[in-house]
Amino acid sequence: MRLRRITAALGAAGLALAIVPTLPAPGTGASLTAVAGSTWQTDASVLGLAVAKGKAFVGGRFTRVRPPGAAPGTSQTVRTYLAAFNQTTGALDTTFNHDVNNLVWSIVASPDGSKIYIGGDFTRVDGQVRNRIAAFDATTGALLPNIKPNVSYRVKTLAVGGTSLYFGGSFGLVNNVARNRAAAISTVDGSLLPWNPNADADVYAIDAADDNSKVYLGGTFAKVGGVAHWAVASVNNSTGALLPFAASSAVPVPKPGCTTRVKDIETSGGVVYFSNAGDGGGCFDGTWAANIATGNLLWKNTCLGATETITMVGGWLFKGSHAHSCPGAFPDGTGAHFLLLQNPATGALGPWFPNTNAGPPTEVGPLVSATGGSDLWVGGDFTTVNGVGQQGLTRFNNLGAGAVPLGPVLPTLSSTTAGRVQATVQTSLDKDDITLTYRLLRGSTNTVVATTTANSTFWSRPNVTLTDTAAPSGTSQQYRIEVSDGNNTVRGGFASVTVR
């Protein structure tokens, strides 16, 4: 479990070996609303996130932060590459203020949430030597003195397993000892551990199984420990030796026009989830899942549009990508969908459709996500969330009534049988519910004369027909449609018909 993602146990929310978790019923609502919570913003990309002790710790390319609603360049507060925000309100934590001299690429919390570890390009924190890894007390914010390995180059990813801090990136030395792109130190005293997978190219993602029985690597490497293993590997938790992992065949080896690599890893219970990003048209960009005990592939989702981040919240696998085509769901031509969720048992898309845009420098959008157990923090290169200005950082929770359904259009009315009126209307849309309730209302008294439910998504909006079986014959009547998600109700305008 990547503890930068969660600081409280999910329990039944995660998969346990082959046992399917208790999920919100697909099609009736997600575990989070699609309405973004009020949150401060950053002036550049967010690359690392962790939630612990009631705070969201955020790292990246930014040097300034500003309140929600503030335009770029206004109401700014200096925060060089690292900041913290209140988990409940999204406001800046003014007590956490450190001078970091270069980018922060990754953040992870200790299992109990008491400590925060950061990795990146920096060599100084508050003027003290910290060569690309540093640690802080999550409660007081104090820089800790005993975590200060000398890492020779960029640290891109961090994970905690037991008393080991695993990290990966582009480095070749740790404390002047050879460690090619993956290494581990003790979280107790900061000493270098024997763990040494020896990857031949960059490591982008690391995560340890919840019981620290195995560690998973993802990146652009072609060999681990001298053995061919493209982009993903399972290794021993103490030595880094390569372990059998049949599911790794889910990642196709490079070929002309297609190179795909693992960008993120999330372990939950007995299952490990991976996200991929590919170069080239039709190159694998999707997500996949494997059984930790057996190493066997459980499912593979082949949506196109690089998947940069995945996080388990409330029994759903949330993902940040720029998905533009998903077989079995939406085709090309529907635009880019930067935030989606999947059923972790099957990989199928679920009912959650907020969106961001993509901004510089990557033009990708969401790059990292984290949870405190019942919320989702998302960081990246975006400058809008749900069409409203919001740069670099946003969050979603399970509070409030959620998104409001799209108001229904005027119904098409017909009366071909005495005393009966049929009303047909295209189904509405809701960003966090697929199944909606439709009511046919008659007259200025809005008398409910028919009710039905129907499913709809942005890629499939069928028509629904409701029938008034007791319409007054020989009269002119007005009808309109009411749609509800159980929390929010909207009504459309009236249309008229003469009843036979």
Side-chain angles (χ1 to χ4, degrees), residues 32-330:
L32 299 175
T33 74
V35 178
S38 176
T39 311
W40 274 52
Q41 308 172 69
T42 60
D43 69 345
S45 310
V46 168
L47 305 172
L49 279 170
V51 184
K53 298 298 182 182
K55 306 170 189 177
F57 296 87
V58 179
R61 302 179 189 273
F62 59 86
T63 59
R64 303 289 189 276
V65 297
R66 65 185 188 273
T74 67
S75 304
Q76 296 189 126
T77 299
V78 173
R79 285 295 186 273
T80 55
Y81 311 112
L82 183 66
F85 303 91
N86 185 285
Q87 183 184 356
T88 302
T89 67
L92 178 67
D93 184 333
T94 58
T95 67
F96 188 81
N97 184 11
H98 293 278
D99 181 19
V100 182
N101 74 339
N102 212 328
L103 274 61
V104 173
W105 283 92
S106 184
I107 307 180
V108 69
S110 62
D112 62 0
S114 65
K115 297 180 180 65
I116 294 294
Y117 303 93
I118 67 172
D121 292 339
F122 54 86
T123 57
R124 297 288 188 277
V125 177
D126 299 336
Q128 300 184 43
V129 174
R130 290 294 187 275
N131 284 312
R132 302 169 182 93
I133 287 182
F136 303 87
D137 184 297
T139 300
T140 68
L143 178 66
L144 299 179
N146 63 332
I147 304 297
K148 49 182 179 181
N150 181 12
V151 186
S152 63
Y153 199 60
R154 175 175 298 164
V155 171
K156 185 73 163 55
T157 180
L158 299 161
V160 176
T163 57
S164 298
L165 176 66
Y166 303 101
F167 54 97
S170 309
F171 53 86
L173 298 171
V174 179
N175 297 346
N176 293 317
V177 177
R179 287 291 188 273
N180 290 315
R181 303 171 184 88
I185 61 172
S186 167
T187 58
V188 178
D189 60 13
S191 60
L192 181 64
L193 297 176
W195 192 74
N196 184 17
N198 188 24
D200 70 343
D202 286 3
V203 172
Y204 291 170
I206 285 184
D207 202 12
D210 292 358
D211 61 2
N212 198 33
S213 59
K214 297 174 183 176
V215 181
Y216 296 92
L217 312 178
T220 58
F221 48 83
K223 292 182 179 180
V224 174
V227 178
H229 237 273
W230 171 252
V232 65
S234 172
V235 300
N236 181 276
N237 68 335
S238 59
T239 67
L242 197 61
L243 298 174
F245 190 40
S248 63
S249 62
V251 181
V253 298
K255 60 183 180 180
C258 176
T259 299
T260 180
R261 76 278 298 168
V262 168
K263 298 299 292 288
D264 200 9
I265 305 172
E266 174 89 323
T267 59
S268 180
V271 176
V272 55
Y273 303 91
F274 299 86
S275 70
N276 270 65
D279 296 333
C283 196
F284 179 50
D285 282 327
T287 52
W288 50 287
N291 184 295
I292 290 174
T294 66
N296 292 333
L297 184 69
L298 296 176
W299 54 260
K300 181 177 178 179
N301 178 287
T302 56
C303 290
L304 294 176
T307 307
E308 301 288 335
T309 181
I310 48 177
T311 298
M312 184 76 78
V313 187
W316 290 101
L317 186 68
F318 291 79
K319 78 170 191 169
S321 69
H322 55 272
H324 56 84
S325 172
C326 281
F330 57 87

